[in-house]
């Protein structure tokens, strides 16, 4: 069974990024797949700020990443880049910790002007962690995600279609790689 991890880098508990990720999760569940979440905001802040590689919570999160075949890396856009929150965790992933994994980068921003932050900011740092199989990814506008009072989210149709297409490509890509390397599928 493929192991998939989502790393979510929003500092906000009710971030519209959650609406985007829940949509991806629903689609993966419909494919019979499961996601394990690493919400960086729930990791011990001191361990993140002091880059504490010995932190049990960080070690556990890194073990899940090491076992994963595919990783969704998701961040809001802050100051034309990924958030500081996600970077504190990326700094704690071992060198080459994303090697061999299929990566789906996801970002949400307030302006389309920062669409390329996926390409000039997020993807290079993931490449520095060994990620060579990075899909084009999805950039959502926050106006495309409506946050309801009950905590649920509604996505506009255009974003929903792009998420469906990107998630299908993600699933195809890691299934294809697992077929080529069945030993990895058993681990
Ligand atoms: C400190 C801060 C900086 C931000 N900088 C940008 C930015 O440079 N470009 C952009 O498109 N959106 C920017 N935004 C908007 C967020 O990306 C967007 O509203 C967020 O992804 C969704 O908000 P939510 O997490 O509150 O739902 C910024 C938001 C905050 C709080």
């Amino acid at each position: 069974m493929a192991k998939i991890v989502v790393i979510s880098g929003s500092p906000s508990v009710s971030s519209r990024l959650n609406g985007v990720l829940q949509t991806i999760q629903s689609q993966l569940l419909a494919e019979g797949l499961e996601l394990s979440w690493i919400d960086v905001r729930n990791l011990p802040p001191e361990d993140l700020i002091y880059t504490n590689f010995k932190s049990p919570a960080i070690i556990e999160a890194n073990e899940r990443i090491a076992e994963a075949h595919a990783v969704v890396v998701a961040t809001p856009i802050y100051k034309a880049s990924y958030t500081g929150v996600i970077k504190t965790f990326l700094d704690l992933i071992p060198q080459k910790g994303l090697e061999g994994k299929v990566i789906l980068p996801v970002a949400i921003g307030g302006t389309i002007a920062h669409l390329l932050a996926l390409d000039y900011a997020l993807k290079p740092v993931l490449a520095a962690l060994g990620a060579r199989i990075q899909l084009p990814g999805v950039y959502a506008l926050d106006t495309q995600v409506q946050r309801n009072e009950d905590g649920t989210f509604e996505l506009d149709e255009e974003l929903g279609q792009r998420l469906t297409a990107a998630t299908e490509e993600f699933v195809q890509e890691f299934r294809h790689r697992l077929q080529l390397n069945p030993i990895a599928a058993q681990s």
Side-chain angles (χ1 to χ4, degrees):
M1 168 81 121
K3 292 185 180 135
I4 309 161
V5 169
V6 57
I7 303 171
S8 175
S10 176
S12 159
V13 68
S14 59
S15 177
R16 280 161 282 194
L17 183 63
N18 296 342
V20 173
L21 292 174
Q22 285 164 12
T23 303
I24 293 173
Q25 174 169 261
S26 301
Q27 205 176 326
L28 293 172
L29 289 175
E31 292 274 348
L33 298 160
E34 279 177 25
L35 269 183
S36 148
W37 291 67
I38 298 170
D39 258 315
V40 178
R41 63 180 299 284
N42 292 332
L43 294 171
E46 285 211 353
D47 293 340
L48 294 168
I49 290 297
Y50 295 122
T51 320
N52 179 9
F53 288 94
K54 293 182 179 160
S55 155
I58 301 294
I59 290 169
E60 189 277 333
N62 275 330
E63 281 170 357
R64 278 193 279 147
I65 292 172
E67 287 173 6
H69 303 102
V71 183
V72 180
V73 184
T75 179
I77 300 298
Y78 280 11
K79 312 294 187 207
S81 187
Y82 42 73
T83 60
V85 168
I86 201 164
K87 186 60 161 56
T88 59
F89 179 64
L90 296 177
D91 289 348
L92 283 156
I93 295 178
Q95 204 179 2
K96 307 298 171 204
L98 296 181
E99 199 163 31
K101 301 176 196 311
V102 177
I103 308 290
L104 178 63
V106 174
I108 185 165
T111 167
I112 195 67
H114 290 152
L115 165 70
L116 290 178
L118 274 175
D119 296 300
Y120 65 66
L122 186 59
K123 290 186 187 180
V125 78
L126 302 179
L129 291 166
R132 297 286 173 272
I133 320 152
Q134 299 196 49
L135 299 181
V138 180
Y139 184 93
L141 275 175
D142 59 9
T143 49
Q144 296 186 289
V145 182
Q146 187 187 315
R147 189 166 34 207
N148 298 323
E149 280 182 12
D150 63 0
T152 59
F153 298 94
E154 279 166 52
L155 274 55
D156 86 6
E157 201 179 329
E158 190 273 342
L159 175 59
Q161 285 168 356
R162 284 194 291 122
L163 283 173
T164 299
T167 309
E168 273 171 13
E169 186 185 9
F170 181 54
V171 172
Q172 266 174 21
E173 188 65 37
F174 65 71
R175 281 194 169 146
H176 174 65
R177 286 177 185 273
L178 287 174
Q179 274 165 10
L180 294 178
N181 185 3
I183 294 169
Q186 289 160 16
S187 61

